[in-house]
């Protein structure tokens, strides 16, 4: 089945739509599509290509048209209305004394609906607020409560690594991350070192987790007693990318630190049993639990 990849935001999830046979589509081209929410302005993520029917959620909606100058002008007008809409909504929230943080808003492509995104520690009764906003904007109003990760995805920002937050610029969906991923990769379990702008575990911990998980099973534990070509010693550090183990060896009344390739090291594996219990206790540590919630 031939499909066209469509995304509604940069770095957003890609959806399949049916291309018009008479049109030619290129990556980055702007189009108008019809969704369950109505007409929406979008961008071509990839040109028409064949995919398995089992990978397509039917019915496959068609692309309405390639965007025109009029469509782009409509989008521009909608964006220009945003600052004023945010100001009015914030005033209404304060007027109704609601415990909610206004994050963002967007107007529907056709200009007949505005969606406000907010975060809050608990449930918020915003029925009166919706009525007030509807009377001001004279259009449909939607209020959507989002979590802390979604808030960061909407607002964006520069992550601790110095690049744009993964969730805002590169991730289509949030991936599951855990304290164990950080431990397996040899990272400090200090919350300040492994948390992103949202205060939760960094999404990038999942990127290379499959590789590290496999290597972790083969590497000796820090502090483990091992046998090397130069005698017995204690593991002080390990390089999981180069598969090198640094060992402390007693020699001539002193200590020698030397690196050995993993294949030259012999040891009794402890990656199980007591180790798994230790990892479970770390994941239940109150100081780390907030990173998982």
């Amino acid at each position: 089945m031939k499909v066209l990849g469509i995304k509604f935001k940069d770095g957003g999830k890609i959806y399949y739509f049916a291309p018009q046979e008479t049109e030619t589509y290129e990556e980055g081209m702007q189009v108008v599509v019809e969704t369950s929410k109505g007409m929406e302005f979008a961008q071509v993520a990839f040109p028409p290509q064949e995919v398995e029917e089992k990978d397509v959620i039917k019915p496959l909606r068609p692309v309405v048209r390639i965007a025109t100058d009029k469509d782009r002008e409509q989008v521009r007008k909608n964006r220009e209305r945003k600052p004023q809409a945010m100001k009015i909504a914030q005033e209404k929230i304060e007027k109704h004394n609601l415990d909610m943080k206004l994050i963002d808003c967007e107007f529907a492509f056709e200009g007949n609906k505005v969606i406000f995104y907010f975060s809050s520690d608990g449930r918020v009764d915003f029925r009166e607020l919706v009525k007030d906003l509807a009377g001001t904007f004279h259009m449909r109003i939607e209020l959507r409560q989002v979590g802390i990760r979604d808030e960061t995805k909407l607002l964006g920002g520069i992550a601790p690594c110095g690049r744009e937050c993964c969730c805002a610029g590169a991730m289509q969906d949030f991936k599951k991350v855990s304290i164990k991923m950080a431990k397996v990769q040899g990272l400090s379990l200090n919350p300040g070192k492994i948390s992103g702008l949202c205060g939760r575990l960094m999404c990038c911990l999942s990127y290379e987790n499959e590789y590290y998980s496999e290597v972790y099973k083969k590497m000796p534990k820090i502090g483990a007693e091992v046998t090397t070509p130069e005698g017995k010693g204690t593991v002080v550090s390990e390089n999981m990318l180069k598969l090198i183990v640094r060992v402390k060896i007693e020699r001539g009344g002193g200590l020698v630190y030397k690196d050995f390739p993993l294949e030259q090291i012999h040891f009794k594996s402890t990656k199980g049993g007591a180790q798994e219990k230790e990892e479970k206790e770390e994941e239940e540590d109150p100081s780390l639990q907030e990173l998982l919630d």
Side-chain angles (χ1 to χ4, degrees):
M1 176 178 289
K2 184 172 289 188
V3 301
L4 183 68
I6 295 293
K7 60 182 179 180
F8 298 97
K9 295 180 179 180
D10 290 338
K13 186 174 181 179
I14 296 176
Y15 298 87
Y16 291 157
F17 281 80
Q20 292 188 23
E21 296 295 333
T22 57
E23 297 286 1
T24 300
Y25 301 94
E26 298 178 358
E27 183 178 344
M29 179 180 286
Q30 296 169 324
V31 295
V32 175
V33 297
E34 183 177 6
T35 70
S36 58
K37 303 175 185 177
M39 294 293 187
E40 293 194 62
F41 191 80
Q43 185 176 330
V44 175
F46 59 78
Q49 64 181 41
E50 294 289 338
V51 299
E52 297 288 338
E53 285 202 34
K54 62 181 179 62
D55 296 328
V56 178
I57 299 177
K58 297 181 178 180
L60 191 63
R61 294 177 181 268
V63 173
V64 176
R65 64 179 177 273
I66 293 175
T68 63
D69 289 340
K70 184 178 179 180
D71 294 326
R72 283 184 277 271
E73 178 65 15
Q74 179 64 45
V75 171
R76 186 188 65 78
K77 289 180 179 179
N78 288 342
R79 288 174 179 166
E80 287 181 349
R81 299 169 71 183
K82 177 178 172 178
Q84 183 65 13
M86 289 285 286
K87 179 181 178 182
I88 293 173
Q90 185 60 49
E91 291 173 351
K92 300 293 185 184
I93 289 171
E94 293 173 1
K95 170 187 172 183
H96 291 275
N97 196 28
L98 295 175
D99 182 19
M100 55 195 291
K101 176 184 176 183
L102 184 63
I103 298 171
D104 196 11
C105 82
E106 63 179 1
F107 285 84
F109 172 64
E110 296 175 296
N112 58 352
K113 178 176 70 174
V114 59
I115 304 170
F116 292 98
Y117 299 91
F118 73 94
S119 63
S120 176
D121 292 333
R123 294 176 63 88
V124 179
D125 184 355
F126 49 69
R127 288 173 292 183
E128 292 303 316
L129 174 61
V130 171
K131 292 179 183 177
D132 202 349
L133 290 172
T136 301
F137 290 98
H138 304 290
M139 63 176 67
R140 285 182 56 197
I141 302 293
E142 278 191 30
L143 266 71
R144 295 183 186 175
Q145 185 170 356
V146 300
I148 185 104
R149 287 198 165 195
D150 295 289
E151 178 179 345
T152 303
K153 183 178 179 69
L154 285 169
L155 296 178
I158 303 300
C161 63
R163 303 188 62 172
E164 182 182 21
C165 290
C166 295
C167 59
M171 289 177 56
Q172 296 181 20
D173 297 298
F174 287 112
K175 299 180 183 295
K176 183 178 180 180
V177 288
S178 67
I179 294 294
K180 185 177 180 180
M181 290 181 180
K183 180 176 177 62
V184 165
Q185 294 176 39
L187 301 177
S188 166
L189 297 187
N190 181 341
K193 299 290 186 180
I194 56 176
S195 57
L197 295 186
C198 60
R200 301 294 186 262
L201 289 170
M202 294 188 295
C203 297
C204 57
L205 290 176
S206 65
Y207 291 171
E208 299 174 341
N209 184 62
E210 184 177 351
Y211 168 81
Y212 278 103
S213 295
E214 288 301 314
V215 174
Y216 181 72
K217 298 173 186 176
K218 303 174 184 178
M219 301 290 280
K221 186 179 179 182
I222 303 296
E225 296 296 322
V226 297
T227 301
T228 75
E230 299 185 20
K232 292 186 177 181
T234 305
V235 176
V236 294
S237 66
E238 51 192 28
N239 188 319
M240 299 181 74
L241 292 176
K242 295 183 177 180
L243 299 181
I244 291 176
V245 180
R246 175 160 292 182
V247 181
K248 177 178 66 178
I249 303 173
E250 292 188 11
R251 182 182 298 167
L255 296 176
V256 175
Y257 293 84
K258 191 166 183 180
D259 294 339
F260 295 93
L262 178 60
E263 62 266 21
Q264 294 182 6
I265 300 292
H266 300 282
F267 62 98
K268 183 178 180 180
S269 176
T270 59
K271 299 291 177 76
Q275 175 110 358
E276 291 179 0
K277 180 181 179 182
E278 177 186 326
E279 290 169 357
K280 186 172 187 297
E281 290 174 349
E282 284 173 348
E283 292 201 15
E284 293 176 350
D285 187 333
S287 66
L288 298 173
Q289 187 60 40
E290 62 180 9
L291 297 177
L292 302 171
D293 295 337

